[in-house]
Amino acid sequence: MSSLTISPPTPKKIWTDAELMALTDGNCYELVNGELVDMGNSGALHGYTCSILVMALMNYILPRKLGIILDSSTAFTMKNGNKRSPDISFVSKEKLQGLTELPDGFLDGSPDLAIEVLSPNNTIAEIDQKIVEYFENGARLVWVINLKLHYVIVYRSSQEPDRLLKQSDSLDGEDVIAGFTMPLSELFQKLSL
């Protein structure tokens, strides 16, 4: 009779905010269940679309002092320890109460609005899990943008999509960014240089 030796599992590394931010290989990472997940490069269309949307949101939000917009290099620490980085995030001034400066590290909880712009390497399971975590951690609205098929799925909870917006529709900030609207035709526009 042979004996089987079982080795204990190797403990997962506990990453600090400083260690994550110190990674210098040029990649963008999320921390999911203790593992680094390389979010990869997204390409020109993704970057351009995010830039258009960031510009529109900032032009509306900043003069009204409604909160701040953050890009995909900003991670949010979820209750379960995951560090999630939406492509674009809006954090309301209410969530920032008491802060006079933003931390060098990450923010706790979800942004009020999390925007995910789908990349070719995204999976349905990955996006679904992010949506669940965003709402479990205080998100009020999530937009999932499909660049190839020109639609946006709007979520008000993780239970099910609230609505599907097509190119003839407009994004609406609802009660999260009250008064903000943007025609999707502006977001899905062709280059006109």
Side-chain angles (χ1 to χ4, degrees):
M1 181 174 203
S2 66
S3 64
L4 179 64
T5 305
I6 299 175
S7 301
T10 306
K12 291 183 179 180
K13 176 174 175 34
I14 305 297
W15 288 86
T16 66
D17 290 0
E19 289 172 321
L20 282 172
M21 291 185 304
L23 294 172
T24 58
D25 61 4
N27 294 329
C28 182
Y29 294 98
E30 286 187 338
L31 186 64
V32 181
N33 301 323
E35 302 284 332
L36 279 182
V37 177
D38 184 348
M39 300 313 292
N41 292 319
S42 300
L45 177 60
H46 186 279
Y48 181 66
T49 305
C50 286
S51 296
I52 289 171
L53 189 49
V54 163
M55 184 179 66
L57 287 165
M58 285 191 124
N59 286 341
Y60 186 83
I61 290 164
L62 292 182
R64 292 166 179 80
K65 298 183 179 184
L66 300 176
I68 60 172
I69 294 291
L70 300 165
D71 69 10
S72 63
S73 65
T74 305
F76 293 82
T77 303
M78 304 288 113
K79 291 176 196 171
N80 63 8
N82 287 350
K83 310 260 186 213
R84 295 294 191 174
S85 300
D87 290 307
I88 304 169
S89 303
F90 165 71
V91 181
S92 67
K93 68 180 176 185
E94 290 78 19
K95 275 196 178 178
L96 299 170
Q97 288 298 316
L99 293 179
T100 56
E101 290 185 6
L102 290 171
D104 288 334
F106 305 133
L107 294 170
D108 290 330
S110 292
D112 294 275
L113 168 62
I115 303 169
E116 291 290 344
V117 180
L118 297 179
S119 300
N121 57 341
N122 287 134
T123 66
I124 292 171
E126 169 197 358
I127 295 299
D128 284 349
Q129 186 56 44
K130 284 184 178 189
I131 292 167
V132 167
E133 288 182 27
Y134 292 150
F135 283 108
E136 285 176 347
N137 288 272
R140 296 164 46 208
L141 186 62
V142 173
W143 295 339
V144 177
I145 300 173
N146 187 313
L147 296 176
K148 290 297 181 193
L149 300 178
H150 295 182
Y151 68 78
V152 177
I153 301 175
V154 177
Y155 291 85
R156 299 281 300 161
S157 77
S158 62
Q159 303 306 309
E160 62 183 31
D162 189 54
R163 61 187 174 278
L164 172 72
L165 302 177
K166 297 176 267 181
Q167 189 157 347
S168 59
D169 297 322
S170 292
L171 288 171
D172 183 344
E174 302 182 26
D175 61 338
V176 178
I177 308 173
F180 174 80
T181 60
M182 179 182 187
L184 285 182
S185 58
E186 290 178 16
L187 191 63
F188 298 133
Q189 63 183 297
K190 301 280 185 196
L191 286 178
S192 59
L193 304 175

